[in-house]
Amino acid sequence: SSGINAEYGDQEMVQLKSKILLTAPPPKQYNSEQFEGKHISEVRKENSILKTKCDLLKIENDQHKSTLLGMKVTQEAELMRLSEEHSAKIDKLIQHHEGERQKLVTQHATRFAESEVARLTNKVETLELQVSHYSDQAAQLPKLQGEAQTLR
């Protein structure tokens, strides 16, 4: 196979392969009586043709293996790229989700804080009203005590 590669280029190999495959006799079953009466040069010629065919098929097989290996490497690289791209998209979605979650927590806390502030403000105002009412009552207490003593 390597001897043939050294003697012929790729294009010449294809032409030689076509010529041999077209001119070679069809495959035969081995029959010991088949070679009786044939001249040894015919047997050697057929043997040479078959060896060449075998070498060409090996070369073709090697080319197919090389092509498939190249395709495999390309597909593995594409798979790796897609996997990394997918991971990046997932990371981005996780970050977006975390941002949205944090925004909702903040909104809830703000609403809760606002309602808590409103509740506490109402409570303070109520207490201020009570203090004001009690202060008014305390201010009126001496007057009422004086009136109570006068009535007694």
Side-chain angles (χ1 to χ4, degrees):
S1 146
S2 61
I4 289 178
N5 278 335
E7 292 177 29
Y8 302 100
D10 287 339
Q11 194 170 15
E12 291 172 329
M13 288 298 293
V14 170
Q15 290 174 349
L16 179 63
K17 178 180 173 184
S18 298
K19 184 177 178 182
I20 289 173
L21 292 175
L22 291 174
T23 60
K28 300 177 185 176
Q29 291 287 338
Y30 176 74
N31 181 354
S32 61
E33 297 174 3
Q34 179 179 7
F35 296 106
E36 286 180 20
K38 280 194 174 184
H39 193 274
I40 191 72
S41 64
E42 290 178 40
V43 173
R44 285 185 180 161
K45 182 179 177 183
E46 185 175 355
N47 190 37
S48 174
I49 289 171
L50 292 173
K51 282 183 180 180
T52 303
K53 266 184 167 181
C54 187
D55 288 343
L56 289 173
L57 289 172
K58 286 179 184 177
I59 290 169
E60 185 179 359
N61 187 36
D62 290 345
Q63 288 173 345
H64 286 302
K65 281 182 184 177
S66 177
T67 300
L68 288 173
L69 182 61
M71 290 171 67
K72 177 186 174 194
V73 168
T74 300
Q75 292 301 318
E76 286 175 346
E78 179 67 9
L79 180 63
M80 183 64 89
R81 183 190 68 77
L82 288 173
S83 177
E84 289 171 359
E85 186 178 295
H86 182 68
S87 291
K89 284 181 180 180
I90 288 174
D91 289 345
K92 189 174 180 179
L93 283 172
I94 288 171
Q95 288 175 352
H96 179 73
H97 171 73
E98 186 60 31
E100 288 294 315
R101 190 184 72 75
Q102 191 60 36
K103 188 163 79 173
L104 289 172
V105 167
T106 302
Q107 287 174 350
H108 176 72
T110 302
R111 284 188 196 128
F112 179 74
E114 287 172 358
S115 65
E116 186 67 11
V117 166
R119 186 183 71 78
L120 292 173
T121 301
N122 288 338
K123 189 173 183 177
V124 166
E125 288 173 359
T126 302
L127 290 173
E128 285 176 347
L129 284 173
Q130 286 177 346
V131 167
S132 174
H133 178 70
Y134 293 142
S135 293
D136 288 345
Q137 286 182 348
Q140 291 178 3
L141 186 61
K143 177 182 167 189
L144 291 174
Q145 285 176 340
E147 288 177 5
Q149 280 193 0
T150 342
L151 288 174
R152 282 194 209 166

PDB file of all heavy atoms in Angstrom, residues 65-102:
ATOM      1  N   LYS A  65     -11.547   6.069   6.981  1.00  0.00           N
ATOM      2  CA  LYS A  65     -11.266   6.164   8.414  1.00  0.00           C
ATOM      3  C   LYS A  65     -10.806   7.578   8.775  1.00  0.00           C
ATOM      4  O   LYS A  65     -11.243   8.149   9.772  1.00  0.00           O
ATOM      5  CB  LYS A  65     -10.177   5.160   8.823  1.00  0.00           C
ATOM      6  CG  LYS A  65     -10.648   3.759   8.984  1.00  0.00           C
ATOM      7  CD  LYS A  65      -9.485   2.875   9.435  1.00  0.00           C
ATOM      8  CE  LYS A  65      -9.869   1.425   9.516  1.00  0.00           C
ATOM      9  NZ  LYS A  65      -8.715   0.591   9.893  1.00  0.00           N
ATOM     10  N   SER A  66      -9.918   8.130   7.944  1.00  0.00           N
ATOM     11  CA  SER A  66      -9.413   9.480   8.187  1.00  0.00           C
ATOM     12  C   SER A  66     -10.543  10.500   8.130  1.00  0.00           C
ATOM     13  O   SER A  66     -10.641  11.388   8.979  1.00  0.00           O
ATOM     14  CB  SER A  66      -8.338   9.810   7.153  1.00  0.00           C
ATOM     15  OG  SER A  66      -7.876  11.111   7.320  1.00  0.00           O
ATOM     16  N   THR A  67     -11.406  10.365   7.128  1.00  0.00           N
ATOM     17  CA  THR A  67     -12.552  11.271   6.995  1.00  0.00           C
ATOM     18  C   THR A  67     -13.458  11.158   8.209  1.00  0.00           C
ATOM     19  O   THR A  67     -13.881  12.173   8.778  1.00  0.00           O
ATOM     20  CB  THR A  67     -13.347  10.946   5.714  1.00  0.00           C
ATOM     21  OG1 THR A  67     -12.487  11.097   4.590  1.00  0.00           O
ATOM     22  CG2 THR A  67     -14.553  11.860   5.566  1.00  0.00           C
ATOM     23  N   LEU A  68     -13.756   9.929   8.607  1.00  0.00           N
ATOM     24  CA  LEU A  68     -14.631   9.722   9.766  1.00  0.00           C
ATOM     25  C   LEU A  68     -13.990  10.260  11.047  1.00  0.00           C
ATOM     26  O   LEU A  68     -14.680  10.838  11.881  1.00  0.00           O
ATOM     27  CB  LEU A  68     -14.971   8.235   9.925  1.00  0.00           C
ATOM     28  CG  LEU A  68     -15.927   7.670   8.878  1.00  0.00           C
ATOM     29  CD1 LEU A  68     -16.062   6.158   9.038  1.00  0.00           C
ATOM     30  CD2 LEU A  68     -17.287   8.339   8.967  1.00  0.00           C
ATOM     31  N   LEU A  69     -12.695  10.076  11.192  1.00  0.00           N
ATOM     32  CA  LEU A  69     -12.003  10.603  12.363  1.00  0.00           C
ATOM     33  C   LEU A  69     -12.082  12.127  12.384  1.00  0.00           C
ATOM     34  O   LEU A  69     -12.345  12.728  13.428  1.00  0.00           O
ATOM     35  CB  LEU A  69     -10.544  10.142  12.380  1.00  0.00           C
ATOM     36  CG  LEU A  69      -9.718  10.578  13.577  1.00  0.00           C
ATOM     37  CD1 LEU A  69     -10.321  10.022  14.867  1.00  0.00           C
ATOM     38  CD2 LEU A  69      -8.283  10.124  13.436  1.00  0.00           C
ATOM     39  N   GLY A  70     -11.888  12.737  11.213  1.00  0.00           N
ATOM     40  CA  GLY A  70     -12.018  14.194  11.122  1.00  0.00           C
ATOM     41  C   GLY A  70     -13.422  14.651  11.484  1.00  0.00           C
ATOM     42  O   GLY A  70     -13.605  15.635  12.202  1.00  0.00           O
ATOM     43  N   MET A  71     -14.433  13.917  10.988  1.00  0.00           N
ATOM     44  CA  MET A  71     -15.815  14.258  11.312  1.00  0.00           C
ATOM     45  C   MET A  71     -16.070  14.084  12.802  1.00  0.00           C
ATOM     46  O   MET A  71     -16.767  14.896  13.419  1.00  0.00           O
ATOM     47  CB  MET A  71     -16.778  13.376  10.500  1.00  0.00           C
ATOM     48  CG  MET A  71     -16.776  13.702   9.017  1.00  0.00           C
ATOM     49  SD  MET A  71     -17.691  12.501   8.020  1.00  0.00           S
ATOM     50  CE  MET A  71     -19.352  12.777   8.585  1.00  0.00           C
ATOM     51  N   LYS A  72     -15.505  13.033  13.385  1.00  0.00           N
ATOM     52  CA  LYS A  72     -15.685  12.785  14.819  1.00  0.00           C
ATOM     53  C   LYS A  72     -15.091  13.931  15.630  1.00  0.00           C
ATOM     54  O   LYS A  72     -15.722  14.450  16.552  1.00  0.00           O
ATOM     55  CB  LYS A  72     -15.018  11.469  15.208  1.00  0.00           C
ATOM     56  CG  LYS A  72     -15.082  11.170  16.684  1.00  0.00           C
ATOM     57  CD  LYS A  72     -14.291   9.926  17.041  1.00  0.00           C
ATOM     58  CE  LYS A  72     -14.251   9.754  18.540  1.00  0.00           C
ATOM     59  NZ  LYS A  72     -13.262   8.797  18.965  1.00  0.00           N
ATOM     60  N   VAL A  73     -13.886  14.342  15.271  1.00  0.00           N
ATOM     61  CA  VAL A  73     -13.225  15.441  15.989  1.00  0.00           C
ATOM     62  C   VAL A  73     -14.040  16.719  15.851  1.00  0.00           C
ATOM     63  O   VAL A  73     -14.257  17.445  16.836  1.00  0.00           O
ATOM     64  CB  VAL A  73     -11.780  15.636  15.456  1.00  0.00           C
ATOM     65  CG1 VAL A  73     -11.172  16.935  15.955  1.00  0.00           C
ATOM     66  CG2 VAL A  73     -10.906  14.446  15.851  1.00  0.00           C
ATOM     67  N   THR A  74     -14.537  16.980  14.636  1.00  0.00           N
ATOM     68  CA  THR A  74     -15.356  18.170  14.400  1.00  0.00           C
ATOM     69  C   THR A  74     -16.630  18.123  15.240  1.00  0.00           C
ATOM     70  O   THR A  74     -17.009  19.113  15.877  1.00  0.00           O
ATOM     71  CB  THR A  74     -15.723  18.279  12.904  1.00  0.00           C
ATOM     72  OG1 THR A  74     -14.520  18.363  12.146  1.00  0.00           O
ATOM     73  CG2 THR A  74     -16.582  19.493  12.633  1.00  0.00           C
ATOM     74  N   GLN A  75     -17.292  16.967  15.257  1.00  0.00           N
ATOM     75  CA  GLN A  75     -18.531  16.827  16.020  1.00  0.00           C
ATOM     76  C   GLN A  75     -18.276  16.947  17.525  1.00  0.00           C
ATOM     77  O   GLN A  75     -19.087  17.534  18.252  1.00  0.00           O
ATOM     78  CB  GLN A  75     -19.217  15.492  15.698  1.00  0.00           C
ATOM     79  CG  GLN A  75     -19.753  15.414  14.278  1.00  0.00           C
ATOM     80  CD  GLN A  75     -20.759  16.497  13.975  1.00  0.00           C
ATOM     81  OE1 GLN A  75     -21.618  16.811  14.780  1.00  0.00           O
ATOM     82  NE2 GLN A  75     -20.637  17.092  12.799  1.00  0.00           N
ATOM     83  N   GLU A  76     -17.170  16.393  17.995  1.00  0.00           N
ATOM     84  CA  GLU A  76     -16.846  16.515  19.419  1.00  0.00           C
ATOM     85  C   GLU A  76     -16.596  17.978  19.788  1.00  0.00           C
ATOM     86  O   GLU A  76     -17.020  18.437  20.847  1.00  0.00           O
ATOM     87  CB  GLU A  76     -15.633  15.652  19.766  1.00  0.00           C
ATOM     88  CG  GLU A  76     -15.941  14.171  19.816  1.00  0.00           C
ATOM     89  CD  GLU A  76     -14.708  13.306  20.037  1.00  0.00           C
ATOM     90  OE1 GLU A  76     -13.565  13.797  19.888  1.00  0.00           O
ATOM     91  OE2 GLU A  76     -14.899  12.114  20.341  1.00  0.00           O
ATOM     92  N   ALA A  77     -15.906  18.690  18.906  1.00  0.00           N
ATOM     93  CA  ALA A  77     -15.648  20.119  19.151  1.00  0.00           C
ATOM     94  C   ALA A  77     -16.969  20.890  19.165  1.00  0.00           C
ATOM     95  O   ALA A  77     -17.178  21.758  20.020  1.00  0.00           O
ATOM     96  CB  ALA A  77     -14.706  20.684  18.088  1.00  0.00           C
ATOM     97  N   GLU A  78     -17.858  20.572  18.227  1.00  0.00           N
ATOM     98  CA  GLU A  78     -19.167  21.236  18.175  1.00  0.00           C
ATOM     99  C   GLU A  78     -19.986  20.910  19.424  1.00  0.00           C
ATOM    100  O   GLU A  78     -20.640  21.784  19.997  1.00  0.00           O
ATOM    101  CB  GLU A  78     -19.926  20.802  16.908  1.00  0.00           C
ATOM    102  CG  GLU A  78     -21.292  21.408  16.756  1.00  0.00           C
ATOM    103  CD  GLU A  78     -21.291  22.910  16.514  1.00  0.00           C
ATOM    104  OE1 GLU A  78     -20.216  23.497  16.288  1.00  0.00           O
ATOM    105  OE2 GLU A  78     -22.375  23.508  16.562  1.00  0.00           O
ATOM    106  N   LEU A  79     -19.933  19.656  19.848  1.00  0.00           N
ATOM    107  CA  LEU A  79     -20.644  19.256  21.063  1.00  0.00           C
ATOM    108  C   LEU A  79     -20.100  20.013  22.276  1.00  0.00           C
ATOM    109  O   LEU A  79     -20.866  20.496  23.110  1.00  0.00           O
ATOM    110  CB  LEU A  79     -20.524  17.742  21.283  1.00  0.00           C
ATOM    111  CG  LEU A  79     -21.208  17.175  22.507  1.00  0.00           C
ATOM    112  CD1 LEU A  79     -22.721  17.396  22.423  1.00  0.00           C
ATOM    113  CD2 LEU A  79     -20.901  15.694  22.644  1.00  0.00           C
ATOM    114  N   MET A  80     -18.798  20.147  22.364  1.00  0.00           N
ATOM    115  CA  MET A  80     -18.180  20.877  23.470  1.00  0.00           C
ATOM    116  C   MET A  80     -18.606  22.343  23.436  1.00  0.00           C
ATOM    117  O   MET A  80     -18.953  22.924  24.462  1.00  0.00           O
ATOM    118  CB  MET A  80     -16.653  20.770  23.387  1.00  0.00           C
ATOM    119  CG  MET A  80     -15.958  21.450  24.541  1.00  0.00           C
ATOM    120  SD  MET A  80     -16.327  20.682  26.115  1.00  0.00           S
ATOM    121  CE  MET A  80     -15.056  19.472  26.171  1.00  0.00           C
ATOM    122  N   ARG A  81     -18.602  22.938  22.226  1.00  0.00           N
ATOM    123  CA  ARG A  81     -19.000  24.340  22.080  1.00  0.00           C
ATOM    124  C   ARG A  81     -20.454  24.517  22.510  1.00  0.00           C
ATOM    125  O   ARG A  81     -20.780  25.438  23.266  1.00  0.00           O
ATOM    126  CB  ARG A  81     -18.823  24.793  20.631  1.00  0.00           C
ATOM    127  CG  ARG A  81     -19.141  26.278  20.409  1.00  0.00           C
ATOM    128  CD  ARG A  81     -19.192  26.635  18.930  1.00  0.00           C
ATOM    129  NE  ARG A  81     -20.313  26.045  18.241  1.00  0.00           N
ATOM    130  CZ  ARG A  81     -21.574  26.481  18.308  1.00  0.00           C
ATOM    131  NH1 ARG A  81     -21.873  27.507  19.064  1.00  0.00           N
ATOM    132  NH2 ARG A  81     -22.537  25.882  17.629  1.00  0.00           N
ATOM    133  N   LEU A  82     -21.322  23.627  22.049  1.00  0.00           N
ATOM    134  CA  LEU A  82     -22.736  23.719  22.412  1.00  0.00           C
ATOM    135  C   LEU A  82     -22.935  23.519  23.907  1.00  0.00           C
ATOM    136  O   LEU A  82     -23.764  24.185  24.528  1.00  0.00           O
ATOM    137  CB  LEU A  82     -23.558  22.700  21.622  1.00  0.00           C
ATOM    138  CG  LEU A  82     -23.734  23.004  20.140  1.00  0.00           C
ATOM    139  CD1 LEU A  82     -24.429  21.838  19.431  1.00  0.00           C
ATOM    140  CD2 LEU A  82     -24.495  24.293  19.922  1.00  0.00           C
ATOM    141  N   SER A  83     -22.164  22.611  24.493  1.00  0.00           N
ATOM    142  CA  SER A  83     -22.262  22.366  25.932  1.00  0.00           C
ATOM    143  C   SER A  83     -21.851  23.611  26.719  1.00  0.00           C
ATOM    144  O   SER A  83     -22.517  24.000  27.674  1.00  0.00           O
ATOM    145  CB  SER A  83     -21.374  21.179  26.305  1.00  0.00           C
ATOM    146  OG  SER A  83     -21.392  20.959  27.684  1.00  0.00           O
ATOM    147  N   GLU A  84     -20.758  24.241  26.297  1.00  0.00           N
ATOM    148  CA  GLU A  84     -20.306  25.464  26.962  1.00  0.00           C
ATOM    149  C   GLU A  84     -21.317  26.591  26.769  1.00  0.00           C
ATOM    150  O   GLU A  84     -21.600  27.347  27.705  1.00  0.00           O
ATOM    151  CB  GLU A  84     -18.929  25.881  26.425  1.00  0.00           C
ATOM    152  CG  GLU A  84     -17.814  24.957  26.864  1.00  0.00           C
ATOM    153  CD  GLU A  84     -16.498  25.223  26.161  1.00  0.00           C
ATOM    154  OE1 GLU A  84     -16.432  26.134  25.295  1.00  0.00           O
ATOM    155  OE2 GLU A  84     -15.517  24.517  26.469  1.00  0.00           O
ATOM    156  N   GLU A  85     -21.874  26.688  25.565  1.00  0.00           N
ATOM    157  CA  GLU A  85     -22.888  27.715  25.288  1.00  0.00           C
ATOM    158  C   GLU A  85     -24.124  27.481  26.159  1.00  0.00           C
ATOM    159  O   GLU A  85     -24.675  28.421  26.728  1.00  0.00           O
ATOM    160  CB  GLU A  85     -23.261  27.644  23.802  1.00  0.00           C
ATOM    161  CG  GLU A  85     -24.194  28.725  23.328  1.00  0.00           C
ATOM    162  CD  GLU A  85     -24.452  28.594  21.834  1.00  0.00           C
ATOM    163  OE1 GLU A  85     -23.493  28.753  21.051  1.00  0.00           O
ATOM    164  OE2 GLU A  85     -25.606  28.330  21.463  1.00  0.00           O
ATOM    165  N   HIS A  86     -24.525  26.230  26.286  1.00  0.00           N
ATOM    166  CA  HIS A  86     -25.681  25.866  27.103  1.00  0.00           C
ATOM    167  C   HIS A  86     -25.416  26.208  28.578  1.00  0.00           C
ATOM    168  O   HIS A  86     -26.271  26.773  29.255  1.00  0.00           O
ATOM    169  CB  HIS A  86     -25.986  24.375  26.932  1.00  0.00           C
ATOM    170  CG  HIS A  86     -27.172  23.896  27.676  1.00  0.00           C
ATOM    171  ND1 HIS A  86     -28.454  24.272  27.366  1.00  0.00           N
ATOM    172  CD2 HIS A  86     -27.276  23.061  28.735  1.00  0.00           C
ATOM    173  CE1 HIS A  86     -29.296  23.699  28.195  1.00  0.00           C
ATOM    174  NE2 HIS A  86     -28.610  22.961  29.036  1.00  0.00           N
ATOM    175  N   SER A  87     -24.231  25.883  29.037  1.00  0.00           N
ATOM    176  CA  SER A  87     -23.867  26.188  30.427  1.00  0.00           C
ATOM    177  C   SER A  87     -23.882  27.699  30.666  1.00  0.00           C
ATOM    178  O   SER A  87     -24.351  28.159  31.717  1.00  0.00           O
ATOM    179  CB  SER A  87     -22.472  25.640  30.756  1.00  0.00           C
ATOM    180  OG  SER A  87     -22.497  24.236  30.784  1.00  0.00           O
ATOM    181  N   ALA A  88     -23.381  28.455  29.697  1.00  0.00           N
ATOM    182  CA  ALA A  88     -23.381  29.921  29.835  1.00  0.00           C
ATOM    183  C   ALA A  88     -24.814  30.451  29.894  1.00  0.00           C
ATOM    184  O   ALA A  88     -25.119  31.342  30.695  1.00  0.00           O
ATOM    185  CB  ALA A  88     -22.623  30.562  28.672  1.00  0.00           C
ATOM    186  N   LYS A  89     -25.700  29.887  29.059  1.00  0.00           N
ATOM    187  CA  LYS A  89     -27.103  30.319  29.078  1.00  0.00           C
ATOM    188  C   LYS A  89     -27.756  29.975  30.414  1.00  0.00           C
ATOM    189  O   LYS A  89     -28.513  30.775  30.969  1.00  0.00           O
ATOM    190  CB  LYS A  89     -27.884  29.668  27.937  1.00  0.00           C
ATOM    191  CG  LYS A  89     -27.602  30.276  26.585  1.00  0.00           C
ATOM    192  CD  LYS A  89     -28.413  29.600  25.499  1.00  0.00           C
ATOM    193  CE  LYS A  89     -28.134  30.209  24.142  1.00  0.00           C
ATOM    194  NZ  LYS A  89     -28.920  29.550  23.083  1.00  0.00           N
ATOM    195  N   ILE A  90     -27.464  28.795  30.936  1.00  0.00           N
ATOM    196  CA  ILE A  90     -28.021  28.395  32.235  1.00  0.00           C
ATOM    197  C   ILE A  90     -27.521  29.332  33.329  1.00  0.00           C
ATOM    198  O   ILE A  90     -28.302  29.779  34.172  1.00  0.00           O
ATOM    199  CB  ILE A  90     -27.681  26.921  32.545  1.00  0.00           C
ATOM    200  CG1 ILE A  90     -28.501  26.002  31.652  1.00  0.00           C
ATOM    201  CG2 ILE A  90     -27.926  26.603  34.015  1.00  0.00           C
ATOM    202  CD1 ILE A  90     -28.135  24.540  31.770  1.00  0.00           C
ATOM    203  N   ASP A  91     -26.228  29.633  33.313  1.00  0.00           N
ATOM    204  CA  ASP A  91     -25.672  30.557  34.309  1.00  0.00           C
ATOM    205  C   ASP A  91     -26.353  31.925  34.217  1.00  0.00           C
ATOM    206  O   ASP A  91     -26.678  32.536  35.241  1.00  0.00           O
ATOM    207  CB  ASP A  91     -24.157  30.721  34.117  1.00  0.00           C
ATOM    208  CG  ASP A  91     -23.381  29.474  34.523  1.00  0.00           C
ATOM    209  OD1 ASP A  91     -23.956  28.610  35.212  1.00  0.00           O
ATOM    210  OD2 ASP A  91     -22.196  29.363  34.123  1.00  0.00           O
ATOM    211  N   LYS A  92     -26.577  32.389  32.983  1.00  0.00           N
ATOM    212  CA  LYS A  92     -27.233  33.687  32.788  1.00  0.00           C
ATOM    213  C   LYS A  92     -28.667  33.638  33.321  1.00  0.00           C
ATOM    214  O   LYS A  92     -29.114  34.575  33.972  1.00  0.00           O
ATOM    215  CB  LYS A  92     -27.224  34.035  31.296  1.00  0.00           C
ATOM    216  CG  LYS A  92     -27.681  35.436  30.999  1.00  0.00           C
ATOM    217  CD  LYS A  92     -27.516  35.750  29.525  1.00  0.00           C
ATOM    218  CE  LYS A  92     -27.983  37.159  29.221  1.00  0.00           C
ATOM    219  NZ  LYS A  92     -27.815  37.493  27.810  1.00  0.00           N
ATOM    220  N   LEU A  93     -29.380  32.531  33.045  1.00  0.00           N
ATOM    221  CA  LEU A  93     -30.747  32.389  33.554  1.00  0.00           C
ATOM    222  C   LEU A  93     -30.774  32.343  35.076  1.00  0.00           C
ATOM    223  O   LEU A  93     -31.657  32.938  35.714  1.00  0.00           O
ATOM    224  CB  LEU A  93     -31.397  31.123  32.990  1.00  0.00           C
ATOM    225  CG  LEU A  93     -31.883  31.206  31.549  1.00  0.00           C
ATOM    226  CD1 LEU A  93     -32.322  29.832  31.058  1.00  0.00           C
ATOM    227  CD2 LEU A  93     -33.007  32.201  31.417  1.00  0.00           C
ATOM    228  N   ILE A  94     -29.806  31.656  35.670  1.00  0.00           N
ATOM    229  CA  ILE A  94     -29.731  31.582  37.131  1.00  0.00           C
ATOM    230  C   ILE A  94     -29.494  32.980  37.706  1.00  0.00           C
ATOM    231  O   ILE A  94     -30.140  33.369  38.684  1.00  0.00           O
ATOM    232  CB  ILE A  94     -28.629  30.597  37.579  1.00  0.00           C
ATOM    233  CG1 ILE A  94     -29.071  29.156  37.295  1.00  0.00           C
ATOM    234  CG2 ILE A  94     -28.284  30.773  39.050  1.00  0.00           C
ATOM    235  CD1 ILE A  94     -27.985  28.120  37.484  1.00  0.00           C
ATOM    236  N   GLN A  95     -28.589  33.737  37.091  1.00  0.00           N
ATOM    237  CA  GLN A  95     -28.324  35.097  37.565  1.00  0.00           C
ATOM    238  C   GLN A  95     -29.573  35.971  37.423  1.00  0.00           C
ATOM    239  O   GLN A  95     -29.906  36.735  38.328  1.00  0.00           O
ATOM    240  CB  GLN A  95     -27.169  35.719  36.781  1.00  0.00           C
ATOM    241  CG  GLN A  95     -25.823  35.134  37.120  1.00  0.00           C
ATOM    242  CD  GLN A  95     -24.709  35.677  36.238  1.00  0.00           C
ATOM    243  OE1 GLN A  95     -24.958  36.388  35.265  1.00  0.00           O
ATOM    244  NE2 GLN A  95     -23.482  35.330  36.571  1.00  0.00           N
ATOM    245  N   HIS A  96     -30.254  35.845  36.292  1.00  0.00           N
ATOM    246  CA  HIS A  96     -31.482  36.628  36.078  1.00  0.00           C
ATOM    247  C   HIS A  96     -32.538  36.241  37.110  1.00  0.00           C
ATOM    248  O   HIS A  96     -33.193  37.118  37.687  1.00  0.00           O
ATOM    249  CB  HIS A  96     -32.005  36.405  34.653  1.00  0.00           C
ATOM    250  CG  HIS A  96     -33.267  37.146  34.357  1.00  0.00           C
ATOM    251  ND1 HIS A  96     -33.295  38.506  34.173  1.00  0.00           N
ATOM    252  CD2 HIS A  96     -34.547  36.711  34.234  1.00  0.00           C
ATOM    253  CE1 HIS A  96     -34.536  38.877  33.947  1.00  0.00           C
ATOM    254  NE2 HIS A  96     -35.325  37.818  33.977  1.00  0.00           N
ATOM    255  N   HIS A  97     -32.689  34.945  37.328  1.00  0.00           N
ATOM    256  CA  HIS A  97     -33.658  34.460  38.312  1.00  0.00           C
ATOM    257  C   HIS A  97     -33.325  35.007  39.705  1.00  0.00           C
ATOM    258  O   HIS A  97     -34.213  35.459  40.430  1.00  0.00           O
ATOM    259  CB  HIS A  97     -33.671  32.937  38.339  1.00  0.00           C
ATOM    260  CG  HIS A  97     -34.471  32.355  39.454  1.00  0.00           C
ATOM    261  ND1 HIS A  97     -35.843  32.364  39.469  1.00  0.00           N
ATOM    262  CD2 HIS A  97     -34.093  31.762  40.617  1.00  0.00           C
ATOM    263  CE1 HIS A  97     -36.269  31.806  40.585  1.00  0.00           C
ATOM    264  NE2 HIS A  97     -35.236  31.431  41.295  1.00  0.00           N
ATOM    265  N   GLU A  98     -32.054  34.963  40.055  1.00  0.00           N
ATOM    266  CA  GLU A  98     -31.632  35.460  41.371  1.00  0.00           C
ATOM    267  C   GLU A  98     -31.923  36.957  41.497  1.00  0.00           C
ATOM    268  O   GLU A  98     -32.382  37.424  42.540  1.00  0.00           O
ATOM    269  CB  GLU A  98     -30.144  35.181  41.596  1.00  0.00           C
ATOM    270  CG  GLU A  98     -29.653  35.520  42.974  1.00  0.00           C
ATOM    271  CD  GLU A  98     -30.362  34.758  44.090  1.00  0.00           C
ATOM    272  OE1 GLU A  98     -30.793  33.602  43.874  1.00  0.00           O
ATOM    273  OE2 GLU A  98     -30.504  35.337  45.185  1.00  0.00           O
ATOM    274  N   GLY A  99     -31.685  37.705  40.418  1.00  0.00           N
ATOM    275  CA  GLY A  99     -31.979  39.137  40.425  1.00  0.00           C
ATOM    276  C   GLY A  99     -33.476  39.395  40.604  1.00  0.00           C
ATOM    277  O   GLY A  99     -33.878  40.269  41.385  1.00  0.00           O
ATOM    278  N   GLU A 100     -34.299  38.634  39.870  1.00  0.00           N
ATOM    279  CA  GLU A 100     -35.760  38.783  39.988  1.00  0.00           C
ATOM    280  C   GLU A 100     -36.235  38.408  41.397  1.00  0.00           C
ATOM    281  O   GLU A 100     -37.092  39.068  41.968  1.00  0.00           O
ATOM    282  CB  GLU A 100     -36.470  37.909  38.944  1.00  0.00           C
ATOM    283  CG  GLU A 100     -36.342  38.416  37.523  1.00  0.00           C
ATOM    284  CD  GLU A 100     -37.043  39.738  37.313  1.00  0.00           C
ATOM    285  OE1 GLU A 100     -38.195  39.895  37.770  1.00  0.00           O
ATOM    286  OE2 GLU A 100     -36.434  40.631  36.692  1.00  0.00           O
ATOM    287  N   ARG A 101     -35.676  37.336  41.930  1.00  0.00           N
ATOM    288  CA  ARG A 101     -36.044  36.898  43.278  1.00  0.00           C
ATOM    289  C   ARG A 101     -35.682  37.977  44.302  1.00  0.00           C
ATOM    290  O   ARG A 101     -36.479  38.320  45.175  1.00  0.00           O
ATOM    291  CB  ARG A 101     -35.335  35.584  43.627  1.00  0.00           C
ATOM    292  CG  ARG A 101     -35.852  34.942  44.917  1.00  0.00           C
ATOM    293  CD  ARG A 101     -35.061  33.697  45.276  1.00  0.00           C
ATOM    294  NE  ARG A 101     -33.730  33.985  45.737  1.00  0.00           N
ATOM    295  CZ  ARG A 101     -33.433  34.484  46.939  1.00  0.00           C
ATOM    296  NH1 ARG A 101     -34.370  34.775  47.792  1.00  0.00           N
ATOM    297  NH2 ARG A 101     -32.181  34.693  47.289  1.00  0.00           N
ATOM    298  N   GLN A 102     -34.495  38.532  44.152  1.00  0.00           N
ATOM    299  CA  GLN A 102     -34.052  39.586  45.081  1.00  0.00           C
ATOM    300  C   GLN A 102     -34.952  40.812  44.954  1.00  0.00           C
ATOM    301  O   GLN A 102     -35.288  41.446  45.958  1.00  0.00           O
ATOM    302  CB  GLN A 102     -32.584  39.950  44.799  1.00  0.00           C
ATOM    303  CG  GLN A 102     -31.963  40.812  45.856  1.00  0.00           C
ATOM    304  CD  GLN A 102     -31.953  40.142  47.225  1.00  0.00           C
ATOM    305  OE1 GLN A 102     -31.770  38.938  47.344  1.00  0.00           O
ATOM    306  NE2 GLN A 102     -32.186  40.909  48.269  1.00  0.00           N
TER     307      GLN A 102
END
